[in-house]
Amino acid sequence: MMVYGAVLKKGERYYSYLGKVFAAIGNAQRNYNWLISYPDCFPATPEFGALLAREHCWLTGEELTEMIRQEDFQWVWGVLSGFAKDISWEKVMEYPVPDADSPGFWRYPLVLEHPLASLEIAAFDSSMTLLVSREKKHVDGFRTFFSLSGDLAEENEAYQKNCVKGGTHYAD
């Protein structure tokens, strides 16, 4: 199955505000359960801070949507992996937990960090947001909403070709 991706690293004053990302994907986040791994963010709401102080947590799409509706705080680091609602927490935890600092996000062809995920959103050092999805419509919506975003697959392919020539990558 194909995997599609987008990278947002220009055109925004700050990156990884999920309210805008959710709008860009047509609020499809509601259709998934979410594993949030290695979050580095600073919500003012104490309950959100306590939840996101963990190495990882599990939320329904409705819970995640409500959290961001109440407080759309900036994410510095973290991976939000969306799973079909029929995939259990136990099944998800049979695999390594995704990490935003993983070199896997820079592979070509693209892959999802978690093999059971349908969609992943990664906050990368407050400097960019990555969206990787099995559904092209999510990436198309993201690319339309954020007109200065790029095609992650094209960038990763160019990076791999450039590495052979001794070049560098923006994530190095």
Side-chain angles (χ1 to χ4, degrees):
M1 178 176 247
M2 287 287 298
V3 176
Y4 308 91
V7 55
L8 177 63
K9 58 183 178 177
K10 56 186 170 185
E12 294 290 310
R13 182 171 174 186
Y14 300 106
Y15 297 88
S16 301
Y17 278 93
L18 294 182
K20 282 183 156 185
V21 172
F22 293 166
I25 62 172
N27 286 302
Q29 80 283 353
R30 295 174 188 260
N31 302 328
Y32 301 97
N33 286 326
W34 292 89
L35 169 64
I36 302 174
S37 52
Y38 303 107
D40 184 3
C41 52
F42 305 97
T45 306
E47 304 85 68
F48 301 159
L51 179 67
L52 296 170
R54 304 177 196 169
E55 189 173 278
H56 54 271
C57 63
W58 182 254
L59 296 172
T60 67
E62 294 79 11
E63 291 167 333
L64 180 58
T65 300
E66 182 58 22
M67 176 191 294
I68 299 307
R69 187 196 66 73
Q70 288 183 35
E71 183 184 352
D72 193 7
F73 49 89
Q74 183 181 7
W75 295 68
V76 179
W77 286 99
V79 179
L80 292 89
S81 301
F83 299 88
K85 294 213 177 206
D86 63 343
I87 297 176
S88 70
W89 163 258
E90 293 78 19
K91 190 71 173 167
V92 166
M93 295 311 294
E94 291 176 8
Y95 297 89
V97 175
D99 186 345
D101 207 18
S102 168
F105 281 112
W106 312 115
R107 287 188 200 136
Y108 179 80
L110 297 177
V111 296
L112 287 150
E113 287 294 302
H114 196 290
L116 300 179
S118 297
L119 170 70
E120 289 181 328
I121 302 164
F124 193 83
D125 195 24
S126 290
S127 64
M128 69 180 87
T129 303
L130 306 177
L131 178 82
V132 183
S133 178
R134 296 186 194 282
E135 293 192 47
K136 190 174 185 303
K137 68 181 180 181
H138 294 147
V139 173
D140 289 346
F142 187 92
R143 296 280 322 273
T144 299
F145 190 94
F146 296 107
S147 61
L148 296 178
S149 62
D151 183 303
L152 185 59
E154 288 177 7
E155 291 203 19
N156 288 358
E157 181 181 29
Y159 166 63
Q160 287 182 0
K161 288 178 182 176
N162 194 29
C163 280
V164 172
K165 298 175 186 172
T168 60
H169 188 257
Y170 58 84
D172 288 342

